[in-house]
Amino acid sequence: MDYVTTLKILVIGESGVGKSSIILAFTTGDYNASFPATIGVDYKCKVMEVNGLKVKLGIWDTAGQERYRTLTNSFYRDAHGAILVYDVSEPKTLQKLNEWVEELQVYTTKKNIVCLVVGNKIDKPRAVPREAGQAFAQKHRMLFIESSAKTQEGINLAFEELVQKIIETPGLWETTGSSSNIRVANEEGNLFN
């Protein structure tokens, strides 16, 4: 299988929740305890296979600090999926996800974008019960998982679940028009629609 579908994935949430660490753990398998705060926006790529489709993920890491929020507005456009991250050891980071959900709703251009709530840092003493994260995700009709970038627990599963749901969402990623740069072909070269 040669053909690769490209999906735009956003990773959003407050500063310090581990967004960059999650992306690093997923793309390289590494962990850096002293990861510097993202300034503006960072971008990483990774190719994975889901349901027999080779998928290239363009992963956008947005800065969590308020002063960089205006830089990220254009990066919401055309996103297929979003990972909303909070820190299970900091209750306010879950509460602040409400603002990120609002921002996502304002700036995203795809009505059926797939979202996944990730409770990160489960290797630390917990201050947010799992049920609170699940309830937030359920309220907003989002997927939910807990993870630890440090121990790698839940990291690959988070991206696999998100991409699986994107692929299963009609009209979100596949196209029939010739103007799109997203095309999926099977081994025989037949396009999937």
Side-chain angles (χ1 to χ4, degrees), residues 115-130:
C115 297
L116 168 72
V117 175
V118 174
N120 193 36
K121 301 188 183 182
I122 56 174
D123 54 282
K124 295 176 80 174
R126 180 185 290 274
V128 180
R130 179 181 179 88

Side-chain angles (χ1 to χ4, degrees), residues 87-120:
D87 177 346
V88 299
S89 67
E90 292 289 339
K92 69 176 188 219
T93 62
L94 177 59
Q95 295 161 2
K96 293 289 261 180
L97 279 189
N98 282 306
E99 294 174 25
W100 289 97
V101 169
E102 288 174 20
E103 192 167 296
L104 188 62
Q105 290 169 342
V106 168
Y107 295 110
T108 189
T109 55
K110 294 194 180 288
K111 297 198 183 325
N112 50 359
I113 183 172
V114 176
C115 297
L116 168 72
V117 175
V118 174
N120 193 36

Side-chain angles (χ1 to χ4, degrees), residues 7-164:
L7 299 177
K8 182 175 181 180
I9 308 296
L10 306 174
V11 182
I12 58 179
E14 291 300 292
S15 183
V17 297
K19 298 181 302 292
S20 298
S21 294
I22 286 172
I23 294 169
L24 183 67
F26 176 65
T27 57
T28 68
D30 293 333
Y31 175 75
N32 181 349
S34 57
F35 213 101
T38 301
I39 296 177
V41 176
D42 195 12
Y43 178 82
K44 298 269 188 275
C45 284
K46 181 165 180 167
V47 175
M48 64 187 292
E49 192 169 316
V50 178
N51 287 0
L53 295 176
K54 197 180 269 188
V55 180
K56 179 180 179 183
L57 303 182
I59 306 166
W60 296 85
D61 181 7
T62 56
Q65 300 100 323
E66 189 73 40
R67 62 186 160 153
Y68 296 117
R69 291 269 181 97
T70 57
L71 296 176
T72 63
N73 296 347
S74 63
F75 294 100
Y76 283 93
R77 281 191 213 109
D78 297 322
H80 299 93
I83 297 176
L84 293 88
V85 184
Y86 71 94
D87 177 346
V88 299
S89 67
E90 292 289 339
K92 69 176 188 219
T93 62
L94 177 59
Q95 295 161 2
K96 293 289 261 180
L97 279 189
N98 282 306
E99 294 174 25
W100 289 97
V101 169
E102 288 174 20
E103 192 167 296
L104 188 62
Q105 290 169 342
V106 168
Y107 295 110
T108 189
T109 55
K110 294 194 180 288
K111 297 198 183 325
N112 50 359
I113 183 172
V114 176
C115 297
L116 168 72
V117 175
V118 174
N120 193 36
K121 301 188 183 182
I122 56 174
D123 54 282
K124 295 176 80 174
R126 180 185 290 274
V128 180
R130 179 181 179 88
E131 295 75 25
Q134 285 175 315
F136 179 90
Q138 190 171 23
K139 174 184 173 188
H140 295 285
R141 297 174 168 242
M142 298 178 179
L143 302 169
F144 176 78
I145 196 166
E146 289 190 326
S147 71
S148 167
K150 185 176 185 177
T151 67
Q152 302 277 324
E153 184 178 344
I155 298 298
N156 286 338
L157 184 60
F159 284 90
E160 288 166 9
E161 292 278 323
L162 183 70
V163 171
Q164 174 81 36

